[in-house]
């Protein structure tokens, strides 16, 4: 098992060292995905699909679906993963990044790849806040982060959970906004909330 905390530490250091190198949230998630997959052996894959026989002039897609689910293995870390039994309690049913166990069951439903929550080891949500210079409880950005934490908290207890907040400014640098960040960090006793910005103290020591 990879030490995902060490990989998160590495991503955070990269952000502090080269903050101009990150334009969108997806770049952060994809870099962590690469860091993890570089460390880990792929997982063994089993699967099923719902592609039936042809109807009239409609092509039979079963041969393509067979090819997908017959893949021998799958990378352990993936972005934008979803599953019918994730039970996230919101309209957003995808997770920004997941780390799978060493065996994964893939269900191909109408061409969409779905996974089982039982096969998740870790789930990570990202927020990249570009313009806000501080954070207040009840603000739109605060609520977006809070929603990510609540979604992660709704996952089964066997899944390790992280909410990673990256920002171009220190959202808690004002004394009157430190409370908002602490409120987010204490919102769930199982979701680790981390806040990284270009002058994060200690990361480059």
């Amino acid at each position: 098992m990879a030490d995902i905390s060490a990989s998160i530490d590495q991503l955070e250091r990269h952000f502090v060292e080269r903050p101009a190198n990150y334009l969108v949230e997806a770049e952060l998630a994809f870099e962590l995905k690469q860091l993890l997959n570089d460390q880990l052996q792929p997982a063994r894959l089993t699967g099923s699909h719902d592609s039936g026989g042809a109807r009239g002039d409609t092509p039979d897609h079963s041969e393509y679906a067979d090819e997908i689910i017959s893949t021998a293995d799958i990378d352990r870390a993936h972005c934008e993963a979803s599953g019918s039994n994730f039970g996230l309690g919101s309209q957003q049913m995808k997770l920004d990044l997941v780390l799978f166990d060493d065996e994964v069951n893939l269900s191909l439903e109408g061409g969409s790849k779905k996974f089982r929550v039982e096969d998740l080891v870790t789930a990570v949500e990202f927020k990249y806040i570009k313009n806000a210079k501080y954070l207040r409880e009840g603000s739109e950005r605060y609520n977006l982060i809070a929603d990510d934490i609540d979604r992660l908290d709704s996952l089964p207890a066997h899944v390790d959970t992280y909410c990673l907040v990256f920002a171009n400014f220190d959202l808690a640098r004002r004394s009157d906004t430190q409370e908002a960040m602490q409120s987010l960090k204490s919102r769930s006793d199982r979701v680790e909330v981390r806040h990284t910005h270009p002058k994060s103290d200690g990361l480059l020591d």
Side-chain angles (χ1 to χ4, degrees):
M1 175 62 65
D3 181 355
I4 188 170
S5 293
S7 296
I8 292 172
D9 290 344
Q10 188 173 352
L11 175 63
E12 290 174 336
R13 286 195 301 273
H14 290 172
F15 184 85
V16 174
E17 290 168 350
R18 304 180 65 194
N21 210 37
Y22 299 89
L23 306 182
V24 293
E25 182 180 295
E27 292 178 321
L28 292 157
F30 191 74
E31 182 171 336
L32 183 58
K33 169 184 180 287
Q34 289 182 304
L35 289 169
L36 291 167
N37 285 330
D38 285 348
Q39 299 177 57
L40 294 168
Q41 293 296 318
R44 294 184 297 277
L45 184 70
T46 59
S48 60
H49 64 78
D50 61 4
S51 298
R55 297 181 180 179
D57 295 330
T58 303
D60 186 348
H61 298 300
S62 291
E63 59 186 285
Y64 304 103
D66 288 342
E67 191 70 20
I68 293 170
I69 67 168
S70 66
T71 306
D73 52 43
I74 185 172
D75 287 344
R76 292 283 298 280
H78 281 272
C79 299
E80 296 294 319
S82 63
S84 56
N85 72 336
F86 279 11
L88 295 174
S90 76
Q91 293 182 340
Q92 173 55 267
M93 298 307 291
K94 292 183 178 180
L95 292 164
D96 289 342
L97 182 144
V98 299
L99 184 64
F100 290 124
D101 206 344
D102 54 12
E103 290 193 30
V104 177
N105 182 271
L106 166 64
S107 176
L108 194 63
E109 301 175 10
S112 296
K113 298 178 180 72
K114 303 290 185 181
F115 299 94
R116 306 185 312 167
V117 74
E118 292 86 353
D119 297 335
L120 300 187
V121 172
T122 306
V124 184
E125 287 290 296
F126 290 80
K127 277 289 175 286
Y128 182 19
I129 300 176
K130 302 175 184 179
N131 300 319
K133 299 175 178 64
Y134 54 89
L135 194 66
R136 286 180 177 159
E137 287 196 60
S139 67
E140 180 180 359
R141 291 177 180 88
Y142 178 96
N143 290 336
L144 287 171
I145 300 168
D147 184 59
D148 278 352
I149 295 169
D150 292 346
R151 292 171 68 247
L152 290 167
D153 189 68
S154 71
L155 291 168
H158 75 271
V159 183
D160 291 332
T161 52
Y162 296 83
C163 180
L164 306 182
V165 181
F166 292 82
N168 288 338
F169 304 96
D170 180 359
L171 299 177
R173 73 175 189 263
R174 290 170 28 158
S175 59
D176 61 342
T177 65
Q178 291 175 6
E179 186 175 333
M181 186 59 69
Q182 289 304 314
S183 173
L184 289 170
K185 290 184 175 184
S186 62
R187 191 174 184 91
S188 167
D189 59 6
R190 59 171 297 219
V191 179
E192 183 173 340
V193 181
R194 297 168 63 145
H195 171 217
T196 306
H197 53 83
K199 292 179 68 65
S200 293
D201 295 336
L203 287 185
L204 300 183
D205 292 347

